[in-house]
Amino acid sequence: MTRRQWELLDDLLAEVCSRSGGKWEDLHDRGRGVLEAVRPVSWGDGDRRPDGDPELRRHVYEVVGTLGHLAEAALTDARAVRDTGRRVRALGDRMSAHAVPRGA
């Protein structure tokens, strides 16, 4: 898959969510998760400079990777399911406590 194809699929999923008035946001989220799981490492983020906390971004990507592994290989491993749940919860707690910058 080329980067442009990946971006087009991402845009398509966002449009489906938008046109449904958010009704199918879960499908958008699931599709985006699949896209993130197949995004080639070689793309890197060198040409994208997103704003925000780089530590939080790393944490998000780590949890996305953990979820991708769980979905692909470990759903029958109860310990892996619980460990992943704890990682997701820790990220959720961090995100819930995240301070919004002034002026945002």
Side-chain angles (χ1 to χ4, degrees):
M1 174 182 305
T2 68
R3 184 178 200 131
R4 183 66 186 139
Q5 289 169 326
W6 189 97
E7 291 168 347
L8 287 169
L9 282 171
D10 185 35
D11 290 344
L12 175 68
L13 291 167
E15 187 174 338
V16 167
C17 182
S18 176
R19 287 188 183 192
S20 72
K23 179 180 174 185
W24 295 334
E25 186 172 355
D26 61 320
L27 294 178
H28 173 239
D29 292 346
R30 190 174 352 150
R32 178 60 194 256
V34 170
L35 285 175
E36 284 297 333
V38 301
R39 181 168 58 139
V41 174
S42 62
W43 288 351
D45 287 329
D47 59 341
R48 294 189 313 166
R49 300 208 181 265
D51 294 332
D53 179 351
E55 292 296 322
L56 177 59
R57 185 175 311 105
R58 274 193 285 277
H59 194 177
V60 168
Y61 285 138
E62 178 184 326
V63 171
V64 168
T66 302
L67 287 166
H69 172 74
L70 180 71
E72 292 174 359
L75 285 175
T76 59
D77 181 344
R79 186 181 59 76
V81 171
R82 288 191 303 272
D83 289 347
T84 302
R86 283 191 281 277
R87 289 178 179 212
V88 170
R89 181 184 304 150
L91 176 60
D93 290 345
R94 180 178 185 176
M95 293 170 68
S96 295
H98 191 73
V100 177
R102 288 186 171 197

